[in-house]
Every structure is written in structure tokens, then in C-alpha cells.
Amino acid sequence: QVQLVESGGGLVQPGGSLRLSCVASGDIRSINAMGWYRQAPGKERELVARINSGGSTNYADSMKGRFTISRDVAKNTGYLQMNSLKPEDTAVYYCHADYTRIHGPIGLLGVWGQGTLVTVSS
């Protein structure tokens, strides 16, 4: 079993910052890539940012320059630094990881976290 636990969400005023964390635990040999997605009320889940095992990143256009994704490979932890937050950034933010496991068949698997709510409002 592999589990992702997000933290760091909350209420912030427009223009403020938050840092989300995602800790992976369980039967993990390696994490290939980690990503952050978000889902606003009434909308589909969308990619926010993604980082692969080599450290290469990609961002949704609306997040470029405001959000920064990073990871600590040794700690199996990913981060999303969010600056200059806007009301339209309000959503549940989900962490996703592609990983290989220690026990069981070889192959790349995926797992989602439970989400953390970010509310941007004055």
C-alpha cells in the first residue's frame, strides 16, 4: 500500500502565499514523477504542475511565474509554493505520484492523495 498525504491548505487573502506538501509513504521503491492538480467547484480536475525524477518541471500556463513545484527525493516529499494567489485559485489541490514498488510485480503505478482545500478570499 502506498499513501500520499497533502497538507498546507487553508484560507489566504488575495496576493498571499501558501506552501503545500505531499508526503508519500508505504511500499515505494522509487517515485518517478510527482504532480499537483486542482479541482474547483463545478469544474474538472486540471494539472497545476508536475516534476519528474530528473527535476524537470512543467506548469499550467496560468500558474507560470506564480507557482513553484519542487521535491525532496530522499524524503519522498513534494512541495508546491504558491505566490500571488488569486480568488480563482480556490480549489481542492491533489497530489499525484507515479511510483514503482518494492514488493510485487514490476511496473509503474499511480496514486492520488486525498486533497487539501485552498481558499483565496478577502
Side-chain angles (χ1 to χ4, degrees):
Q1 294 288 345
V2 171
Q3 188 177 21
L4 299 181
V5 178
E6 302 105 328
S7 61
L11 174 64
V12 63
Q13 292 186 342
S17 299
L18 283 176
R19 189 193 195 208
L20 306 183
S21 298
C22 173
V23 180
S25 62
D27 184 23
I28 300 171
R29 180 182 299 277
S30 65
I31 294 178
N32 185 39
M34 295 187 82
W36 289 94
Y37 296 74
R38 70 184 186 185
Q39 187 166 18
K43 296 187 177 182
E44 294 186 352
R45 191 173 298 188
E46 63 175 349
L47 174 69
V48 174
R50 193 169 182 270
I51 183 168
N52 66 17
S53 56
S56 296
T57 59
N58 64 286
Y59 296 89
D61 287 343
S62 62
M63 288 68 155
K64 288 180 181 177
R66 298 190 301 125
F67 292 7
T68 303
I69 189 171
S70 61
R71 61 186 289 185
D72 185 328
V73 174
K75 295 182 178 180
N76 283 339
T77 300
Y79 304 98
L80 184 68
Q81 178 67 42
M82 304 186 294
N83 299 327
S84 303
L85 283 162
K86 306 174 182 179
E88 51 264 42
D89 294 318
T90 294
V92 177
Y93 284 72
Y94 296 90
C95 180
H96 181 270
D98 295 321
Y99 69 97
T100 57
R101 54 187 173 181
I102 300 173
H103 303 100
I106 297 173
L108 196 63
L109 301 174
V111 60
W112 289 94
Q114 82 288 349
T116 185
L117 177 63
V118 172
T119 303
V120 185
S121 175
S122 55

